[in-house]
Amino acid sequence: MSVKYVLVSDEEYGEAVELPLEDNGTLLLSTLTAQFPGASGLKFRTENNVVRGVRLADGRFHVPDNEWGKTPYYCVFPKVENKRKIDDSVENPTAKTKRLETKLKCSDLVVLNIPYTYDEQKLKEYFGQFGELLMLQIKRDKNGQSRGYGFLRYTNLESQVRVLSQRHKIDGRNCEVKVPKSKEGNGSELSGKVFVGRVTEDLTADDIREYFSKFGEVINVFVPKNPFRGFAFVTFLDPEVAASLCGEDHIVKDVSVRVSEAAPKPQVPKNRHQTPPPSEPWERSNNRHNDNYRNWYHSQHDNRGSVDMPNLQSLGINGQDSYNPMLPLSPAIVAAALTQAAGWSLANGRMMPPPPPPNGNNQWSQHGLNSQRNNYNNRKRSNNDYNSSGNR
DNA sequence: GTTGAGCGTT
């Protein structure tokens, strides 16, 4: 099977770049953003001279019948000010009172794997694409040689979230951008993720994404399937959008769903198979605590031991698959969701989804993970490294 | 003089 390509440019009539399609005919969002940092969507002009958007679901662009047109597609870059586009009063009379007063602040971010040939200027050219930089520095040794990593900070959180939500290939190198370890738990980060309860089985991730995109850019929708669990997670680019929706009821395709805060997962000490959940780009940045939930959970599940809860906080996860402690969720739902998170495992140095259920089907509707196969730098060293004594 | 996992005043 030969690789197929689609022509994409950054703007209409811009110079097009060939982007490889996946085997199933979809285009990965990560493939797009690798070439066009910050891009969030794709458009094209139909024969009727109408601009049409390409369906984006779970990190992939889908076109009908996998027939990509020959006319170039071009990128959509989110508007910065599309926080909450529709009038609150239309759908959510209560929303007005819940505007966030707190201005969320950025934190410094580490950039790893910077090419040694890059100086601050060149790096600024790249990271400046995502927003206004407050500072950027490359760490150097005495001789001024780049150490290959550095720090940066944006002026606004959107830029930060955007940068954290995608992969960065700089000069052919995969540069990791993360919240520094030294900064973890400082609370400057906030999740853009909301918990969507009362989801019914006929609601697809697409439906949910389509609906919630009205409020702001949606960077991920997560709907556990098989078995159906009655909830979803929606991650917005803008945490304020997420926050503004919390506590509201929304009608998605005639289904009344409940949006609430996606509280972080609690920590759990005992877990035999404790392995990090996927480091989805959009999951990487945040870290909050929620003792309420932990207490609640334990009150529900003490002495059962049937569900291992992963230590997500130590994993740098911002509350993926988490719950609002105030919600009357059934323990079964909770348990199921926890199982989901705990199910991730490390295989061959790569995060793998939970082992398939007896019926052998893939459980999850989200496959962003599978697109991240380019961890070519993680060959394990030979075991004589174990008693290494810092010789250098 | 080199290099490629990492986490910030040299």
Side-chain angles (χ1 to χ4, degrees):
Chain A
M1 53 186 144
S2 59
V3 184
K4 296 213 171 74
Y5 293 89
V6 58
L7 283 172
V8 177
S9 55
D10 57 346
E11 56 185 0
E12 195 171 14
Y13 311 123
E15 187 185 5
V17 177
E18 276 189 345
L19 298 184
L21 299 170
E22 300 307 295
D23 291 343
N24 61 6
T26 63
L27 173 69
L28 291 174
L29 176 60
S30 53
T31 302
L32 181 72
T33 56
Q35 299 301 320
F36 303 103
S40 59
L42 271 184
K43 296 194 283 197
F44 65 102
R45 201 169 279 278
T46 68
E47 53 278 10
N48 300 329
N49 210 26
V50 177
V51 177
R52 185 177 294 169
V54 178
R55 174 180 295 278
L56 172 62
D58 298 322
R60 292 164 182 267
F61 291 100
H62 302 260
V63 290
D65 303 323
N66 294 335
E67 290 290 333
W68 290 85
K70 295 150 295 284
T71 48
Y73 294 77
Y74 58 100
C75 296
V76 178
F77 294 94
K79 300 211 171 20
V80 181
E81 56 282 324
N82 72 343
K83 293 226 186 287
R84 181 134 194 190
K85 287 196 291 199
I86 67 167
D87 187 357
D88 286 329
S89 60
V90 177
E91 298 249 358
N92 319 292
T94 61
K96 278 179 185 161
T97 60
K98 281 191 300 171
R99 288 242 173 266
L100 281 193
E101 314 270 308
T102 55
K103 201 54 202 163
L104 305 166
K105 288 196 297 216
C106 299
S107 76
D108 287 359
L109 305 175
V110 228
V111 188
L112 267 22
N113 248 307
I114 303 169
Y116 289 130
T117 56
Y118 265 54
D119 60 3
E120 282 78 356
Q121 279 249 301
K122 286 188 82 174
L123 206 58
K124 273 179 193 168
E125 280 175 27
Y126 177 80
F127 284 107
Q129 295 178 287
F130 302 92
E132 188 187 350
L133 286 161
L134 213 56
M135 74 93 183
L136 181 151
Q137 53 186 222
I138 294 175
K139 290 301 165 190
R140 300 175 178 280
D141 62 17
K142 305 180 227 268
N143 308 320
Q145 275 287 342
S146 165
R147 295 192 133 107
Y149 73 95
F151 295 86
L152 55 78
R153 189 183 190 110
Y154 286 100
T155 54
N156 67 311
L157 200 70
E158 290 211 349
S159 312
Q160 168 166 327
V161 174
R162 189 178 301 289
V163 157
L164 288 168
S165 73
Q166 54 191 59
R167 299 197 158 271
H168 302 278
K169 188 161 264 181
I170 303 179
D171 219 27
R173 302 186 60 84
N174 269 110
C175 292
E176 279 190 278
V177 182
K178 324 192 240 193
V179 175
K181 286 179 182 165
S182 52
K183 281 278 167 60
E184 275 178 12
N186 276 11
S188 53
E189 315 93 37
L190 198 59
S191 170
K193 179 180 286 189
V194 294
F195 176 93
V196 182
R198 298 200 307 256
V199 167
T200 60
E201 214 152 355
D202 49 319
L203 282 184
T204 67
D206 281 358
D207 296 333
I208 295 169
R209 177 185 287 269
E210 188 178 342
Y211 174 83
F212 284 106
S213 293
K214 296 190 291 201
F215 303 106
E217 184 182 345
V218 172
I219 56 180
N220 190 35
V221 175
F222 186 91
V223 185
K225 306 259 192 213
N226 275 330
F228 168 69
R229 301 187 205 279
F231 66 82
F233 289 105
V234 176
T235 307
F236 292 92
L237 171 65
D238 186 349
E240 292 190 50
V241 171
S244 78
L245 295 170
C246 287
E248 297 177 354
D249 293 320
H250 287 259
I251 311 289
V252 184
K253 286 220 164 174
D254 293 331
V255 178
S256 170
V257 300
R258 174 75 177 183
V259 181
S260 54
E261 185 185 348
K265 274 203 181 153
Q267 308 196 10
V268 149
K270 43 144 199 179
N271 190 342
R272 298 173 305 265
H273 307 295
Q274 181 171 318
T275 43
S279 178
E280 294 286 0
W282 55 80
E283 302 280 9
R284 268 193 245 136
S285 61
N286 304 295
N287 205 337
R288 276 187 301 162
H289 310 285
N290 191 331
D291 287 336
N292 284 339
Y293 175 76
R294 179 160 46 238
N295 297 337
W296 173 83
Y297 177 87
H298 286 311
S299 71
Q300 303 279 320
H301 291 263
D302 261 358
N303 302 326
R304 296 213 183 171
S306 56
V307 176
D308 288 335
M309 300 210 302
N311 181 350
L312 290 175
Q313 306 225 307
S314 71
L315 308 167
I317 290 304
N318 64 352
Q320 181 191 18
D321 319 323
S322 44
Y323 307 90
N324 187 326
M326 297 309 152
L327 277 184
L329 295 177
S330 80
I333 295 284
V334 175
L338 290 169
T339 307
Q340 172 242 312
W344 288 89
S345 59
L346 195 61
N348 300 325
R350 164 179 307 166
M351 287 311 304
M352 300 302 285
N359 61 24
N361 284 335
N362 195 333
Q363 273 180 287
W364 311 109
S365 63
Q366 166 187 299
H367 296 286
L369 250 297
N370 301 332
S371 66
Q372 298 170 16
R373 295 181 170 155
N374 39 1
N375 47 352
Y376 47 72
N377 268 342
N378 59 357
R379 286 191 125 215
K380 290 276 171 282
R381 291 181 153 183
S382 53
N383 27 16
N384 57 9
D385 279 313
Y386 275 99
N387 34 13
S388 68
S389 49
N391 40 359
R392 233 237 186 233

